[in-house]
Amino acid sequence: MAVWNRTAERARALAAVGAEVQASAREALTAAPLVIVCVSATEDVRHLLEEASSEPFDGLALLNMTSGTPEDGRDLRNWAQAHGVAYLDAAIGAYPEQLGTRAARILVAGDEALFRTHQELILEIAGSSMYVGADHGAANAIDCALTGAFYISSLVSFIEAVRFVHEFGVSHDVLSDLSSYSVSVLDHQMKLALDRVARNDFTTDQATLNVYADAVATFAAGLEGRGDALMVQAATRVLRQAVDAGLGDQDIAAAVTLRPSAPGESARTN
Amino acid sequence: MAVWNRTAERARALAAVGAEVQASAREALTAAPLVIVCVSATEDVRHLLEEASSEPFDGLALLNMTSGTPEDGRDLRNWAQAHGVAYLDAAIGAYPEQLGTRAARILVAGDEALFRTHQELILEIAGSSMYVGADHGAANAIDCALTGAFYISSLVSFIEAVRFVHEFGVSHDVLSDLSSYSVSVLDHQMKLALDRVARNDFTTDQATLNVYADAVATFAAGLEGRGDALMVQAATRVLRQAVDAGLGDQDIAAAVTLRPSAPGESARTN
């Protein structure tokens, strides 16, 4: 394995475990069949490559693990296409200390054949890695959506929930038991929601969006006076938008069909 | 089992399965060792009992399953104490069709000895029922917090997340796999958060609240232009409040120590 870092001593630290330290980015770019880059921002990836060579990069295969937005992935793909670079965009779904283990996961987007060519190497770096789609924005989009919009939001919602029961003297064991139960119901409902989205069928004979919208407003009222309840208030607004868009008689997953609304414009469905 | 309903034919329907239909609420109140009441609102429970008898209710044990706020549970306890009624307050954590099965769960709050006396009957109605604490507001508080602030908020967050990846052509299988992974990480982090709350120790050598606050802002930026992202925006605000309150170097669970803020007043910690 060939390594290079803008701060030379960081690369040299890897010589001890057998990495061949390269003297420049240009040398690193031609030292291996797959070049993996991970810097601060997507803009830096482009600068680095353009500084390293004024020639086209024919034959260079690049896997970019730099954090970014979906647009960053798509922009760098456009640049790569114009510069003869075969390009995969990745999002790292792991803590640094997990890398090299089976638990670590890197999401990879771009040409699937290119991914399969380098799959073995990628799995060595992160054993639970996955190919997620041909759109070069897909890895960052999933990261933003699942890690950001879902995971962090849910964790914050849970912490808000725990804050609210604090004054009622509920024991740790009871809360832990009920929390596990809530998560298992959530897991089940998420699977049902994904199936409905895949079938594009949001009919239900169980709780409708109207029922959820009423319930969440009642729950929010029950929490009043115990802090700002920002998460449940946001959920109330989303469900109200969905009801206003005419989805009230459908399953809650129908909210997935709400489309982006411009400022001042109300949400609409497809 | 003795039954009574304000709409007589609803009670009569239960005669077919062996219930003794009572002619009035007053008769129902004296027909069994535990009286279970489930009507539209807590106010109705009080009216019903006051209409049924102008005498004190010495010896009456009441389990109230009517939906309400934590304050409703406490208010009815005060009324019950003044009227010689032994009182348990409950929240139903089940769909109607689950009742009578092991899957159904009723949360019961109030005097623990009174709960133990009637536990067997309650478990027959809902096999996963639990005693949650002595505070008569606890059952409704847990329902508002876990079902409302956590469960519905998380489900809405997930639907918002799925909406965002829609345009990237990610397959159902990939999304399903990654969603299950996200839930398992969430479950694990929720347990860690509860343990930290129980120990009141929010030190961490992993991601701090500062890291989460920065990450969620980056993810929110990655979702920009793809809809209102109300849930992740709310999470961003909660984490910013926690950072502003000086919790940035602690674990994300430290946000549980944020205390209610009056309108216009910024959040403060204990």
Side-chain angles (χ1 to χ4, degrees):
Chain A
M1 184 186 283
V3 297
W4 178 79
N5 194 293
R6 287 178 288 185
T7 308
E9 59 264 35
R10 291 192 177 172
R12 276 198 297 272
L14 294 168
V17 290
E20 292 167 31
V21 180
Q22 307 296 309
S24 69
R26 178 199 298 262
E27 284 175 42
L29 286 174
T30 54
L34 180 70
V35 173
I36 299 174
V37 59
C38 186
V39 289
S40 303
T42 305
E43 217 27 47
D44 297 336
V45 178
R46 201 183 304 209
H47 288 156
L48 209 68
L49 292 168
E50 286 177 345
E51 274 175 30
S53 172
S54 54
E55 312 287 307
F57 294 89
D58 291 324
L60 173 61
L62 184 72
L63 173 64
N64 174 35
M65 292 195 191
T66 303
S67 296
T69 66
E71 277 61 40
D72 286 335
R74 288 171 169 180
D75 288 349
L76 198 56
R77 177 220 33 214
N78 293 342
W79 178 92
Q81 280 179 343
H83 290 78
V85 174
Y87 180 56
L88 292 169
D89 192 84
I92 303 175
Y95 291 102
E97 57 267 35
Q98 287 184 308
L99 290 174
T101 73
R102 212 178 132 52
R105 189 186 288 268
I106 295 168
L107 309 180
V108 186
D111 180 61
E112 184 164 5
L114 183 61
F115 170 77
R116 298 294 164 210
T117 304
H118 300 290
Q119 182 172 11
E120 213 168 311
L121 173 68
I122 295 167
L123 289 174
E124 260 182 63
I125 300 171
S128 297
S129 296
M130 286 177 77
Y131 174 74
V132 297
D135 188 315
H136 284 77
N140 288 342
I142 292 175
D143 201 26
C144 289
L146 283 187
T147 312
F150 170 64
Y151 171 75
I152 297 184
S153 296
S154 297
L155 190 53
V156 171
S157 297
F158 179 67
I159 291 166
E160 210 170 74
V162 173
R163 187 191 336 156
F164 287 122
V165 296
H166 203 260
E167 70 169 275
F168 294 92
V170 178
S171 76
H172 172 270
D173 286 352
V174 166
L175 258 190
S176 177
D177 189 346
L178 290 172
S179 300
S180 296
Y181 178 73
S182 294
V183 175
S184 71
V185 178
L186 178 65
D187 190 27
H188 181 66
Q189 289 297 327
M190 283 168 53
K191 287 191 175 69
L192 292 182
L194 279 180
D195 289 344
R196 286 195 163 94
V197 171
R199 288 184 286 107
N200 195 31
D201 178 0
F202 301 106
T203 55
T204 183
D205 61 356
Q206 300 294 311
T208 62
L209 227 151
N210 280 330
V211 172
Y212 277 99
D214 287 350
V216 82
T218 306
F219 289 133
L223 298 170
E224 246 168 48
R226 299 196 159 78
D228 296 331
L230 294 182
M231 300 307 295
V232 73
Q233 284 165 7
T236 304
R237 276 198 295 278
V238 174
L239 293 176
R240 200 185 304 132
Q241 278 184 1
V243 169
D244 290 347
L247 305 172
D249 290 332
Q250 299 187 44
D251 184 84
I252 190 172
V256 87
T257 64
L258 283 170
R259 286 289 161 261
S261 57
E265 185 193 5
S266 69
R268 59 187 186 279
T269 60
N270 64 357
Chain B
M1 185 187 285
V3 296
W4 177 79
N5 194 293
R6 285 178 291 187
T7 308
E9 58 263 36
R10 292 191 178 171
R12 278 198 295 272
L14 293 169
V17 290
E20 290 167 31
V21 180
Q22 307 297 307
S24 69
R26 179 199 298 259
E27 285 174 40
L29 287 175
T30 54
L34 180 70
V35 172
I36 299 175
V37 58
C38 187
V39 289
S40 302
T42 305
E43 215 29 45
D44 298 336
V45 179
R46 202 183 305 208
H47 287 155
L48 209 68
L49 292 169
E50 286 178 345
E51 276 175 30
S53 172
S54 55
E55 312 287 307
F57 294 89
D58 291 323
L60 173 62
L62 184 71
L63 172 64
N64 174 35
M65 293 195 189
T66 303
S67 296
T69 66
E71 277 63 39
D72 286 335
R74 289 172 169 179
D75 289 349
L76 198 55
R77 176 219 34 211
N78 293 341
W79 179 92
Q81 280 179 342
H83 290 76
V85 174
Y87 179 56
L88 291 170
D89 192 84
I92 302 175
Y95 291 102
E97 56 266 35
Q98 287 184 309
L99 290 175
T101 72
R102 210 176 136 55
R105 190 188 286 270
I106 294 169
L107 309 180
V108 185
D111 180 60
E112 184 163 5
L114 183 61
F115 170 77
R116 297 296 163 208
T117 303
H118 301 289
Q119 182 172 11
E120 213 168 311
L121 172 69
I122 295 167
L123 290 173
E124 258 182 65
I125 301 172
S128 297
S129 296
M130 285 178 78
Y131 174 74
V132 296
D135 189 316
H136 285 75
N140 288 342
I142 291 174
D143 201 26
C144 289
L146 283 187
T147 312
F150 170 64
Y151 172 76
I152 297 185
S153 296
S154 297
L155 189 54
V156 171
S157 296
F158 179 66
I159 291 167
E160 209 171 73
V162 173
R163 185 190 338 156
F164 288 121
V165 295
H166 203 259
E167 70 169 276
F168 295 92
V170 178
S171 76
H172 173 270
D173 286 351
V174 166
L175 259 190
S176 177
D177 190 345
L178 290 174
S179 299
S180 295
Y181 178 73
S182 294
V183 175
S184 71
V185 177
L186 178 65
D187 190 26
H188 181 66
Q189 288 297 327
M190 282 168 52
K191 286 191 176 69
L192 292 183
L194 279 181
D195 289 344
R196 285 194 164 94
V197 172
R199 287 185 286 109
N200 196 31
D201 178 0
F202 302 106
T203 56
T204 184
D205 61 355
Q206 301 293 312
T208 62
L209 227 152
N210 279 329
V211 171
Y212 276 99
D214 286 350
V216 82
T218 305
F219 289 133
L223 299 170
E224 246 169 48
R226 298 195 161 79
D228 295 331
L230 294 183
M231 299 308 293
V232 72
Q233 284 165 6
T236 305
R237 274 198 296 279
V238 174
L239 292 176
R240 200 184 304 131
Q241 277 183 2
V243 169
D244 289 348
L247 306 171
D249 290 332
Q250 300 187 43
D251 184 83
I252 190 172
V256 86
T257 65
L258 283 170
R259 285 289 162 257
S261 58
E265 183 194 6
S266 67
R268 60 186 185 280
T269 59
N270 64 355

